[in-house]
Amino acid sequence: AVVSTQSTGVSGGKDSTYTIYQCVRAGHDIVALAHLRPPDTHDELDSYMYQTVGHNVVRYVSRALCVQLYEREIKGAPVEQGLEYSRTENDEVEDLYELLSEVKRETQCTAVCSGAIFSTYQKNRVEEVCARLGLVSIAPLWEREQETLLQEMVDNHLEIRIIKVASIGLNQSHVGQHASDLLPHFKATSKKFGFNVCGEGGEFESLVTDCPLYAYKIQVDKSEKVCHSHDDMAPVWYEKFEAVSLVEKPGLKDLGLRERIGLVSKLGS
């Protein structure tokens, strides 16, 4: 997302959504959402930087938040794969630079928030792009303890749908389930196999279908489970969305993000 006036990198997943939540609570104003999507010929890409599964639902996330969306197709690849990054021709990071350049031009944003938790690789690249553009990089979830963080997301009413699995201990049956229901399984799998409870190792990816920020709930009307890899130990499955709709939450669409959070907190107390 873009903030304070701030923009936010958004995938529709739990980390980018909870980042927006934290930034709004900290007093930032979210003026734009920035999203990098795969080419139309791909359901998803094996990107080192971006969540691409569920990319066709991000426009519904924008409408649910009532925040303008800026999008750009990913044209580059992970050319520079070292921990540190500097401008590299045809690298996928340069797609982020071009996208945020447009957002800054259009909105006069001063900062960018991202949902990085433990990936120094990703955080360094966002910071490098922001430095080139004269923007502040904000990562409010950075180095949070994962089990505590996921529980906190659930406690703050994020409805987190698992839309991709790629780990030992997870399979086709977990796709389409909610993180709130799977937390005990995640914790047990973490103790047994070293599973990252927040999916920071790529174990799973998610879509937030409802949260206090949303004026509309995202309803999945039709989807199918697709097998990307038949690995015996860690099969890769993802959810392909064929029909999605929005269900209005009464009394929220005319409120700002901060007011929505306040109202939900008041109702819950």
Side-chain angles (χ1 to χ4, degrees), residues 45 93 105 141 211 230:
L45 293 176
V93 175
R105 257 190 332 268
L141 309 186
C211 72
H230 284 283

Side-chain angles (χ1 to χ4, degrees), residues 116-120 123 139-146 149:
I117 301 176
F118 276 105
S119 174
T120 302
K123 185 171 181 280
L141 309 186
W142 184 244
E143 294 188 335
R144 291 284 310 275
E145 197 280 319
Q146 292 190 47
L149 179 58

Side-chain angles (χ1 to χ4, degrees), residues 81-140:
Q81 297 181 16
L83 195 60
E84 301 300 325
Y85 181 82
S86 59
R87 184 174 181 175
T88 302
E89 189 175 355
N90 298 322
D91 195 284
E92 62 182 353
V93 175
E94 298 309 310
D95 294 315
L96 178 62
Y97 175 84
E98 295 299 331
L99 176 59
L100 292 182
S101 295
E102 178 189 1
V103 175
K104 183 181 179 182
R105 257 190 332 268
E106 296 289 330
T107 68
Q108 307 303 308
C109 66
T110 59
V112 173
C113 63
S114 63
I117 301 176
F118 276 105
S119 174
T120 302
Y121 178 97
Q122 293 175 354
K123 185 171 181 280
N124 285 351
R125 280 154 173 75
V126 173
E127 289 177 347
E128 194 277 340
V129 167
C130 285
R132 270 193 272 163
L133 291 169
L135 296 168
V136 176
S137 174
I138 301 173

Side-chain angles (χ1 to χ4, degrees), residues 185-219:
H185 179 68
F186 286 174
K187 292 176 183 178
T189 307
S190 176
K191 289 177 182 176
K192 191 171 184 180
F193 300 114
F195 176 94
N196 290 288
V197 174
C198 268
E200 276 296 282
E203 290 87 349
F204 67 89
E205 294 183 12
S206 63
L207 170 70
V208 175
T209 52
D210 196 15
C211 72
L213 296 163
Y214 286 3
Y216 300 84
K217 181 173 180 174
I218 297 171
Q219 179 172 286

Side-chain angles (χ1 to χ4, degrees), residues 62-74:
S62 169
R63 290 166 60 190
L65 288 165
C66 306
V67 177
Q68 185 172 357
L69 176 66
Y70 292 81
E71 288 190 291
R72 182 180 175 87
E73 182 179 298
I74 300 169

